[in-house]
């Protein structure tokens, strides 16, 4: 059993006991044997020949062959003249596939394998502790990993352990330090997995050279409640440890990767389906690594089944290229089919183990081209396919689940089909998709799970409304009559339709300029955009609109004038403008052609786009905005992308995928991806169903999109309150009067580290100071940039600003005083600039004067009844919407009841009363929606709004509700629990009894003790 704050040594001994059972030197525990304490042992290395040689001899290899093989292996483990990544990759290949050794001249080579991958128990798995490694050079520092995991004498894993009160991040940084050339980088050429852990947080794992933010936590059900023990059992059993190395490790274009838990279990579930030859759908949310799942599964298939061949099919040019790149980067040769005939030729050639193909070429006639491609596949006469095919269909929710899948089944009748999707299946498509592929493979990995696991970022949503109005409708009518004089009514009607369609693109420049002005303002005001660390995408409604946006930015004189690019499917061809000239002005096609010609000159669209995307991903300060229409909204991963501005009507999967372009992790300064909506796609985001907006996700199952959007303004206010509370809590410990001397004494060592017995504790305090002050500044800046939407008044914001300035001042001073300035990250200049020089700006004018709006625009934008704004699926019956809301609210109440039983009983009564009144038509539908929205906001908060001033936190409010509103008793119970409850008390019987006893001292009624105890168990703050 772990003890909070126990020394690292005790945690280390406990882990050794878990791995080895005892220190007898015989295998025990999870299957490892104890090799000893190697702190003073001479010659410690990453290849221990005295362990490897006898194992190889025992395998039946001759002495000479063993000597040659070990010599080759040691040579491969050297790092002279190569980077660690390259040396580690070369060693991995030899470790995984063995080395061919010729016994003598003219004799057939023998493949020597250093690991028995098929039978983990056949290996010699050993653990050595305190392994002292000499630096590469005499002047270098020596290092001593806590544990080294040796398999047959080869160091495959290292473990750094910290006591429970020291963050696992310290162990991670220590491991990364060890991989620097100044220390023991040469030792890590053989190491495949590095671990760091403590009892509070469990293990984190990563391959070599993985930056700290990208270390992973394992996630798997277990009856073991102690985090470190659970993770050791799940990850370090020899079978799992070797499997992760052999089947779930990739070298991807300069970055070594190990599977996340969601990827691991998806592949494992798919392997079971393969054994039964049953297809299905793998749903892993956007950004969670679907492409690498494909690669891992494909590699396993090719190595497990000699005749297996993989066909990867997608429907977007970017995805096709991405799939080829991912497979290629990880060392797999991919044949990329260019046409239907080329695809058939590839299928007939068994040397191409992995084939990649588009459903159709990207272009304006996509549907026609897809039909032609399918016809080519069905009619081609290029020989029959050879091999056992496994067809991976990417983005399985789109066109592949229809015509293509049927065509593929005709060509490959025995193939097994696996669909991959990053978005929930539409209800309307589910039957077809499940019929085409089969049921889900493994457990779907949903968006909210990925956010919780830190795989992707949460999204914040903001709606910006720009009204359009007609300033002179009589003049428009008169103008139209003059221009159409002499035409028949039918001709006029035809012209109105055509002219109206064009005017939506060519005549609403004021509105586009307003959006452009908003984006330019954001580029100056939003800290991450202004600092050049992040950038944005703008989704335009059409290619002409994209061109108009581009011209507006280029002529704006702003920071975006030379730092934006346009990426669409448009390709210049002379035939497109043939016959367009009328002498009456520029047509739509002429306009687009001119914009592209002025932009590109002699440069090809491909070269222009390649450079624009390179800058966007690698140098966001030089490419701040990409203007797109349909390109790059799927299969485009750019961690720098932070904001997406949507000015295009989108629904369902296209909307979901588009907004997920901005949810990729990218450093500590990117907390969220931001969606700015100009098309009212989430019009009722504040209503009762925050996580199930009828317009955007009407055709999705509710649980499919659970946790997708967090209301931006309300959450930002709460973030600021939380950050401020944490900051004030940190500073409470500083002695009065909290001047410079007191602050330096608390956080730093004025007389030097060597003379300060609290130096280690103060270092931890400084780490907290840097993190907490930076977080406070970031969340304040988010609100200060647009204070109109917040719930704080000017006086409060002014006070917070002074506190933030002081916090940053304290941080900077302590950083300099303590000597941490070299090691700590510099605070973003743009954030600092925003805090010091913030100027409140009025809202932009949201009314565009459309003097030349078309009659068609007028008809389409006016006259619709309120309920007609509902999406088609909801338009059928207003009652359906109300019932959906009621069901979701009831589910929320049921799920949250353990958190605050008394409060949710009241909520249930309120809901029932509201529903009854609505059905009696005692309240209007609009009022009903408003009242139920307020109800849900309270339900999500877990409490109501009327409490005494002393009852502040969510936990206190839950106690107050369940102690019959007794303020004194509530505060007494709250304080007793806070003083008594030990860390990690839930799930530990001894600690749970301690909490229960403290309640018995305060509460006389046994039933009350039991009820409040259950409330406490469900309140995370205790």
């Amino acid at each position: 059993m772990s003890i909070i704050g126990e020394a690292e040594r005790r945690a280390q001994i406990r882990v050794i006991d878990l791995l080895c059972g005892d220190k007898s030197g015989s295998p025990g525990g999870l299957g490892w044997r104890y090799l000893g304490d190697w702190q003073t042992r001479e010659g410690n290395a990453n290849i221990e020949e005295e362990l490897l040689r006898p194992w190889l001899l025992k395998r039946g290899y001759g002495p000479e062959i063993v000597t040659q093989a070990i010599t080759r292996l040691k040579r491969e483990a050297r790092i002279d003249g190569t980077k660690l990544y390259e040396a580690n990759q070369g060693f991995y290949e030899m470790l995984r596939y063995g080395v061919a050794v010729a016994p003598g001249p003219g004799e057939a080579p023998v493949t020597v394998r250093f690991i028995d991958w098929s039978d983990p128990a056949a290996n010699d798995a050993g653990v050595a502790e305190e392994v002292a490694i000499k630096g590469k050079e005499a002047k270098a520092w020596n290092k001593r990993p806590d544990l080294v995991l040796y398999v047959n004498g080869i160091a495959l894993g290292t473990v750094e352990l910290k006591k429970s009160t020291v963050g696992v991040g310290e162990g991670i940084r220590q491991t990364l330090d060890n991989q620097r050339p100044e220390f023991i980088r040469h030792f890590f050429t053989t190491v495949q997995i590095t671990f760091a852990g403590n009892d509070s947080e469990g293990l984190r794992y990563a391959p070599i050279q993985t930056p700290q933010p990208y270390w992973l936590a394992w996630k798997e059900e277990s009856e073991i409640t102690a985090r470190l023990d659970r993770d050791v059992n799940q990850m370090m059993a020899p079978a799992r440890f070797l499997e992760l190395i052999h089947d779930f490790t990739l070298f991807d274009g300069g970055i070594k990767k190990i599977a996340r838990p969601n990827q691991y279990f998806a592949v494992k579930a798919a392997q079971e389906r393969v054994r039964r030859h049953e297809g299905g759908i793998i749903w892993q949310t956007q950004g969670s690594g679907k492409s690498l799942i494909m690669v891992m599964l494909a590699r396993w298939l090719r190595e497990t089944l000699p005749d297996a061949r993989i066909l990867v099919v997608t429907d977007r040019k970017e995805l096709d290229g991405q799939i080829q790149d991912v497979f290629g980067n990880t060392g797999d040769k991919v044949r990329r089919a260019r046409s239907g005939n080329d695809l058939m030729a590839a299928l007939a050639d068994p040397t191409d183990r992995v084939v990649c193909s588009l459903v159709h070429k990207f272009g304006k006639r996509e549907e026609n081209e897809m039909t032609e491609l399918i016809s080519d596949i069905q009619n081609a006469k290029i020989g029959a396919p050879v091999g056992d095919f496994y067809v991976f269909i990417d983005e399985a929710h789109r066109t592949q689940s229809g015509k293509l899948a049927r065509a593929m089944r005709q060509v490959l009748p025995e193939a097994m089909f696996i669909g991959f999707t990053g978005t929930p299946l539409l209800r309307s498509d589910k039957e077809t998709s499940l019929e085409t592929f089969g049921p889900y493979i493994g457990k779907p990995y949903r968006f909210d799970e990925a956010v919780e696991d830190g795989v992707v970022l949460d999204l914040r949503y903001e709606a910006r409304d720009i009204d359009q109005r007609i300033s002179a409708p009589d003049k428009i009518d008169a103008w139209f009559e003059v221009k159409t004089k002499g035409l028949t009514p039918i001709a006029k009607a035809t012209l109105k339709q055509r002219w109206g369609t064009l005017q939506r693109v060519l005549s609403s420049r004021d509105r586009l300029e307003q959006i452009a002005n908003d984006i330019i303002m954001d580029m100056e005001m939003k800290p991450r955009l202004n600092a050049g660390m992040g950038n944005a995408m703008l989704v335009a409604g059409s290619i002409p609109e994209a061109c108009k946006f581009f011209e507006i930015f280029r002529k704006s004189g702003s920071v975006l004038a030379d730092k934006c690019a346009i990426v669409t499917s448009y390709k210049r061809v002379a035939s497109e403008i043939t016959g367009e000239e009328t002498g009456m002005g520029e047509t739509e096609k002429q306009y687009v052609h001119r914009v592209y010609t002025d932009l590109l000159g002699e440069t090809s669209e491909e070269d222009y786009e390649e450079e624009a995307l390179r800058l966007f991903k690698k140098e966001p300060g030089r490419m701040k905005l990409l203007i797109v229409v349909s390109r790059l909204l799927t299969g485009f991963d750019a961690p720098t992308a932070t904001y997406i501005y949507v000015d295009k009507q989108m629904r369902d999967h296209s909307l979901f995928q588009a907004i997920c372009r901005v949810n990729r992790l990218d450093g500590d300064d990117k907390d969220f991806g931001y969606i700015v909506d100009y098309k009212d796609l989430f019009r009722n985001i504040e209503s009762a169903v925050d996580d199930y907006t009828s317009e955007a996700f009407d055709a999705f199952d509710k649980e499919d999109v659970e946790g997708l959007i967090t209301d931006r303004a309300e959450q930002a206010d709460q973030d600021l309150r939380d950050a401020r509370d944490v900051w004030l809590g940190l500073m409470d410990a500083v002695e009065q009067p909290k001047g410079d001397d007191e602050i330096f004494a608390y956080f730093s060592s004025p007389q030097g580290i060597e003379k300060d017995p609290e130096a280690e504790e103060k270092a931890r305090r400084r780490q907290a100071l840097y993190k907490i002050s930076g977080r406070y500044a970031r969340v304040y800046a988010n609100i200060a940039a647009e204070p109109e939407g917040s719930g704080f008044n000017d006086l409060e914001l002014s006070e917070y600003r002074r506190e933030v300035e002081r916090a940053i001042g304290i941080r900077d001073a302590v950083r300099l005083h303590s000597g941490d300035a070299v090691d700590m990250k510099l605070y973003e200049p743009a954030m600092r600039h925003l805090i010091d020089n913030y100027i409140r700006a009025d809202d932009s004018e949201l009314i565009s004067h459309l003097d030349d709006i078309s009659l068609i625009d007028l008809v389409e934008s006016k006259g619709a009844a309120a309920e007609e704004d509902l999406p088609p699926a909801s338009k059928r019956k207003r009652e359906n919407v109300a019932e959906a809301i009621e069901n979701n609210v009831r589910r929320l109440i049921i799920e949250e009841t353990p958190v605050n039983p008394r409060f949710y009983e009241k909520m249930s009564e309120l809901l029932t009363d509201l529903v009854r009144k609505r059905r009696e038509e005692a309240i209007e539908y609009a009022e009903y929606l408003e009242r139920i929205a307020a109800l849900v906001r309270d339900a999500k908060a877990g409490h109501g709004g009327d409490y005494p001033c002393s009852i502040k936190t969510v936990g206190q409010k839950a106690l107050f509700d369940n102690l019959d509103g007794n303020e004194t008793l509530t505060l007494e119970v709250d304080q007793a629990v806070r003083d008594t409850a030990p860390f990690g008390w839930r799930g530990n019987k001894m600690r749970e009894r301690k909490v229960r006893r403290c309640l018995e001292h305060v509460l006389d009624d046994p039933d009350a003790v039991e009820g409040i105890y259950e409330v406490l168990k469900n309140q995370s703050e205790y």
Side-chain angles (χ1 to χ4, degrees):
M1 181 181 72
S2 66
I3 301 174
I4 291 176
E6 71 176 349
E8 294 173 13
R9 179 65 185 164
R10 294 187 62 179
Q12 187 169 312
I13 291 172
R14 204 176 79 257
V15 170
I16 291 173
D17 288 343
L18 288 171
L19 294 172
C20 305
D22 54 44
K23 295 187 176 182
S24 65
S26 299
L30 292 176
W32 300 80
R33 67 186 184 93
Y34 182 67
L35 298 178
D37 184 327
W38 287 6
Q39 185 170 175
T40 59
R41 180 176 180 265
E42 289 294 325
N44 295 331
N46 52 7
I47 299 177
E48 293 288 337
E49 187 171 343
E50 66 183 51
L51 297 174
L52 177 58
R53 180 177 290 276
W55 187 83
L56 290 174
L57 291 172
K58 186 179 177 182
R59 302 287 287 183
Y61 300 113
E64 272 302 313
I65 290 177
V66 168
T67 298
Q68 289 187 55
I70 293 176
T71 300
R72 295 268 296 277
L73 189 68
K74 286 184 173 181
R75 185 186 307 138
E76 195 64 42
R78 293 174 188 162
I79 198 170
D80 301 332
T82 60
K83 297 179 180 179
L84 177 57
Y85 174 86
E86 296 165 347
N88 191 276
Q89 183 178 20
F91 186 86
Y92 177 82
E93 295 297 316
M94 186 173 287
L95 186 73
R96 197 172 189 278
Y97 300 110
V99 59
V101 177
E107 295 186 52
V110 174
T111 299
V112 177
R113 300 190 183 277
F114 303 98
I115 304 287
D116 189 333
W117 301 106
S118 61
D119 183 8
N123 298 289
D124 176 20
V127 180
E129 62 176 322
E130 302 298 334
V131 181
I133 307 297
K134 289 185 177 180
K136 188 67 174 175
E137 300 175 3
K139 295 181 180 179
W141 294 81
N142 299 330
K143 288 287 185 179
R144 195 172 68 240
D146 290 342
L147 300 177
V148 177
L149 306 179
Y150 284 92
V151 177
N152 306 330
I154 304 169
L156 299 186
T158 65
V159 187
E160 292 292 344
L161 295 169
K162 298 298 171 187
K163 59 184 179 180
S164 58
T165 55
V166 176
V168 72
E170 190 167 319
I172 292 173
R173 290 189 292 274
Q174 190 173 334
T175 302
L176 292 173
D177 279 347
N178 288 348
Q179 296 172 49
R180 292 182 57 83
E182 298 93 331
F183 299 110
I184 58 171
R185 183 179 67 174
H186 59 285
F187 185 80
F188 286 84
T189 56
T190 70
V191 173
Q192 304 305 314
I193 310 180
T194 58
F195 298 94
N198 63 21
D199 280 308
S200 299
E201 299 169 274
L203 282 179
R204 299 293 183 270
Y205 70 101
I208 58 162
Q209 296 183 313
T210 300
Q212 182 177 336
Y214 301 101
W215 281 54
L216 304 169
W218 195 253
K219 184 180 178 182
E220 183 178 1
E221 291 184 2
S222 172
E223 295 181 357
I224 301 173
T225 57
R227 291 183 176 182
L228 182 60
D229 297 14
R230 177 196 65 204
D231 291 346
V232 167
N233 275 274
Q234 290 177 339
M235 296 200 72
M236 292 187 182
R240 173 69 62 80
F241 178 71
L242 291 176
E243 181 187 39
L244 287 171
I245 294 171
H246 186 268
D247 291 340
F248 296 92
T249 297
L250 298 172
F251 292 81
D252 183 8
I255 302 175
K256 187 177 183 183
K257 299 177 179 178
I258 295 179
R260 301 183 184 119
N262 64 291
Q263 294 169 323
Y264 172 85
F265 289 110
V267 172
K268 294 292 288 183
Q271 290 173 356
E272 287 302 311
R273 288 288 186 87
V274 167
R275 293 186 179 100
R276 303 198 302 266
H277 204 74
E278 296 175 0
I281 299 173
I282 294 177
W283 170 19
Q284 302 276 303
T285 194
Q286 297 289 324
S288 61
K290 285 190 288 94
S291 298
L292 293 184
I293 292 175
M294 288 187 186
V295 173
M296 294 171 187
L297 181 56
R299 186 170 68 178
W300 178 83
L301 279 166
R302 290 185 293 105
E303 294 180 351
T304 306
L305 306 171
D307 294 329
R309 298 181 65 197
I310 293 88
L311 171 62
V312 184
V313 183
T314 187
D315 70 342
R316 289 289 187 268
K317 178 182 177 181
E318 287 80 18
L319 286 172
D320 191 44
Q322 182 188 29
I323 295 297
Q324 183 185 35
D325 291 344
V326 169
F327 274 86
N329 288 341
T330 54
D332 288 325
K333 179 184 175 184
V334 179
R335 175 167 174 175
R336 191 173 179 183
R338 304 295 176 177
S339 66
N341 286 343
D342 188 39
L343 173 59
M344 289 302 298
L347 298 182
D349 185 353
T351 61
D352 295 317
R353 296 290 301 277
V354 181
V355 179
C356 182
S357 175
L358 272 173
V359 176
H360 50 74
K361 300 174 186 176
F362 193 93
K364 289 187 291 185
R365 296 184 302 277
E366 293 179 3
E367 191 64 35
N368 292 339
E369 289 183 344
M370 185 181 74
T371 301
E372 293 171 7
L373 173 61
I374 293 173
S375 178
D376 287 345
I377 294 171
Q378 292 172 327
N379 298 326
K381 308 295 183 184
I382 315 179
V386 178
D388 295 333
F389 276 92
Y390 295 83
V391 183
F392 294 176
I393 298 190
D394 196 27
E395 301 303 343
H397 57 272
R398 292 203 294 261
T399 52
Q400 297 93 316
S401 61
K403 295 181 180 179
L404 176 78
R406 289 193 291 272
M408 287 289 99
R409 289 189 184 282
Q410 291 181 19
V411 176
L412 301 169
E414 301 300 321
M416 175 178 164
F417 283 67
I418 300 178
F420 291 80
T421 182
T423 56
L425 292 177
L426 292 170
R427 283 201 193 100
S428 55
D429 289 343
K430 264 190 174 179
E431 185 174 348
T432 303
S433 298
L434 296 176
E435 188 178 285
T436 301
F437 299 103
Y440 283 131
I441 294 176
K443 182 178 179 291
Y445 191 56
R446 296 185 170 90
F447 182 88
D448 56 322
E449 291 180 81
V451 171
E452 181 183 344
D453 294 343
V455 173
V456 297
L457 296 173
D458 202 351
L459 298 170
R460 294 286 179 84
Y461 169 81
E462 175 183 353
R464 295 184 185 177
D465 184 33
I466 298 179
D467 272 339
Q468 293 177 273
R469 66 182 179 87
I470 298 173
S471 60
D474 292 342
K475 291 184 178 180
I476 292 177
D477 292 340
W479 178 90
F480 188 80
E481 288 303 320
V482 168
K483 291 294 182 180
T484 59
K485 190 175 182 179
L487 293 182
T488 67
I490 293 176
K492 285 186 179 183
T494 303
L495 183 57
K496 282 181 180 180
Q497 183 64 47
R498 174 64 175 160
W499 186 77
T501 301
L502 289 177
Q503 290 310 314
R504 279 194 291 274
V505 174
L506 300 178
S507 298
S508 299
R509 190 176 189 89
D510 283 351
R511 181 178 178 279
L512 303 187
E513 286 179 344
Q514 182 61 58
I515 294 173
N517 289 338
D518 272 1
I519 295 173
I520 290 169
M521 178 70 76
D522 285 351
M523 289 292 168
E524 298 292 344
M525 299 294 291
K526 303 297 185 184
R528 184 170 161 83
L529 297 179
N530 180 260
M533 300 299 292
N535 42 27
M537 298 174 70
L538 167 59
V539 186
S542 66
I543 293 176
E545 284 187 30
C547 290
K548 295 192 85 171
F549 273 125
F550 182 74
E551 282 198 314
I552 291 168
F553 287 121
R554 290 296 289 265
K555 297 174 182 178
S556 66
S558 71
V559 67
L560 291 178
D562 59 352
K563 295 179 180 177
C564 71
I566 181 170
V567 179
T568 73
S569 59
Y570 178 76
K571 296 291 183 287
R572 290 172 296 167
V573 288
S575 60
E576 186 179 31
I577 57 173
T578 301
E580 287 290 307
E581 183 57 52
T582 65
M584 297 297 289
E586 204 170 39
T587 66
E588 174 185 324
K589 290 183 179 179
Q590 288 173 322
Y591 170 70
V592 173
H593 186 86
R594 174 178 61 78
V595 171
Y596 266 84
T597 299
D598 292 345
L599 169 64
L600 302 180
E602 298 300 319
T603 305
S604 70
E605 287 87 350
E606 288 78 8
D607 290 343
Y608 168 78
E609 290 174 8
E610 182 179 353
E611 176 62 9
L613 298 187
R614 185 192 70 79
L615 290 173
F616 190 80
K617 292 181 177 182
K618 303 297 184 183
E619 301 182 51
R622 294 179 59 195
M623 184 55 67
K624 288 180 169 289
L625 181 71
L626 287 181
I627 305 167
V628 303
V629 179
S630 56
R631 296 277 303 282
L632 308 185
L633 298 183
T634 59
F636 177 65
D637 290 341
T640 57
T642 307
Y643 283 77
I644 185 165
Y645 299 89
V646 182
D647 191 40
K648 177 183 180 180
Q649 287 293 344
M650 291 189 292
R651 288 179 58 82
D652 303 329
H653 296 306
S654 60
L655 176 61
F656 188 100
Q657 291 184 316
I659 62 179
C660 286
R661 295 311 99 202
V662 294
N663 72 353
R664 304 306 194 259
L665 304 175
D666 189 36
D668 291 341
D669 65 330
K670 185 179 179 183
D671 297 322
F672 298 92
Y674 292 92
I675 308 155
V676 181
D677 170 21
Y678 288 97
K679 285 292 189 182
D680 211 10
L681 300 175
F682 296 84
R683 192 175 315 166
N684 298 318
I685 195 67
E686 297 89 8
S687 74
V689 281
D690 286 340
D691 52 358
Y692 185 75
T693 54
S694 60
E695 290 198 337
F697 298 110
D698 180 66
F700 289 2
D701 280 345
K702 178 182 179 293
E703 68 266 25
D704 291 353
V705 292
E706 196 168 46
L708 175 62
I709 298 292
T710 304
D711 181 79
R712 188 183 62 82
E714 291 183 5
Q715 187 61 50
D717 285 359
Q718 188 59 47
D719 288 347
L720 180 56
R721 293 188 190 96
D722 293 344
R724 182 173 187 261
D725 288 344
V726 173
W727 166 255
L728 295 177
L730 176 69
M731 295 304 294
D732 277 346
V734 179
E735 292 183 0
Q736 296 291 349
K738 303 186 189 295
D740 291 355
D741 291 341
E742 290 80 12
I743 289 171
F744 288 145
Y746 183 73
F747 289 105
S748 188
S749 302
Q751 307 304 320
I753 295 175
E754 297 79 10
K755 299 179 181 180
D756 191 348
E758 293 187 328
E760 184 178 342
E761 174 59 25
K762 289 180 178 180
R764 286 194 288 274
R765 293 173 188 168
R766 292 197 299 277
Q767 291 289 341
L769 169 67
Y770 304 149
K771 183 175 181 180
I772 291 169
S773 61
R775 171 69 177 166
Y776 192 10
R778 282 202 302 274
V779 297
Y780 167 77
N782 286 337
I783 290 180
E786 43 187 344
E788 297 82 2
S790 80
F792 300 109
N793 58 40
D794 291 344
L795 188 62
E796 289 172 319
L797 287 177
S798 178
E799 179 185 355
Y800 293 162
R801 174 183 171 175
R802 288 192 296 272
E803 285 183 357
V804 168
E805 288 175 336
R806 175 159 170 74
I808 297 306
I810 290 173
R811 184 202 65 181
D812 292 344
V814 169
R815 181 176 282 164
L816 291 170
H817 186 275
S818 65
D820 284 343
V822 173
D823 298 327
M824 298 297 106
K825 294 181 180 179
L826 294 176
Y827 191 67
E828 281 187 37
M831 183 73 77
R832 186 69 178 152
H833 176 82
L834 177 61
I835 293 172
D836 292 340
N837 301 287
Y838 177 73
I839 300 175
R840 179 170 178 165
D842 293 331
D843 286 338
S844 58
E845 179 63 45
L846 298 181
I847 298 176
S848 295
H849 300 280
L850 304 177
D851 295 336
D852 56 348
I853 192 170
S854 74
L855 301 180
I856 300 300
D857 280 340
L858 175 61
V859 170
E860 291 186 354
S861 62
K862 301 292 182 182
E867 288 184 41
E868 290 302 308
D869 289 338
L870 291 172
S874 300
K875 199 182 299 181
R876 292 189 297 268
K877 193 178 181 185
R878 190 177 70 179
E879 189 76 10
N880 293 346
V881 181
E883 288 179 0
I885 292 172
E886 290 157 14
N887 290 336
N888 284 313
V889 177
R890 289 193 191 283
R891 177 176 173 181
L892 173 64
I893 290 172
I894 291 169
E895 290 176 347
E896 296 296 327
T897 293
V899 178
N900 190 344
R902 190 69 56 82
F903 172 74
Y904 284 105
E905 287 174 14
K906 298 176 186 175
M907 297 296 290
S908 183
E909 293 171 7
L910 285 173
L911 175 63
T912 301
D913 187 52
L914 273 177
V915 172
R916 179 184 58 78
K917 288 181 178 179
R918 178 185 62 81
R919 287 178 177 163
E920 292 174 356
E921 297 186 354
I923 53 176
E924 294 292 331
Y925 184 70
E927 181 187 351
Y928 166 75
L929 289 182
E930 290 176 4
R931 289 170 65 173
I932 206 141
L935 189 69
V936 170
R937 279 193 288 272
D938 285 345
K940 281 186 171 291
H943 53 77
D946 298 326
Y947 293 91
C949 295
S950 62
I951 307 299
K952 298 177 181 179
T953 71
V954 173
Q956 289 173 342
K957 291 175 181 178
L959 291 175
F960 184 82
D961 286 333
N962 291 275
L963 289 170
D964 298 323
N966 188 324
E967 179 181 1
T968 302
L969 189 58
T970 295
L971 295 175
E972 191 176 346
V973 170
D974 174 77
Q975 193 59 51
V977 174
R978 292 182 189 277
D979 292 342
T980 306
F983 177 84
W985 61 274
R986 293 174 183 82
N988 184 303
K989 292 184 178 179
M990 293 289 291
R991 297 174 188 175
E992 286 182 350
R993 278 200 291 270
K994 190 173 183 181
V995 174
R996 199 185 294 270
R997 280 198 299 269
C998 96
L999 291 177
E1000 291 170 351
H1001 288 306
V1002 182
L1003 303 172
D1004 298 329
D1005 184 359
D1007 291 338
V1009 170
E1010 190 61 32
I1012 296 300
Y1013 176 73
E1014 290 302 318
V1015 171
L1016 292 173
K1017 284 182 68 175
N1018 289 283
Q1019 286 293 332
S1020 59
E1021 70 180 76
Y1022 293 108

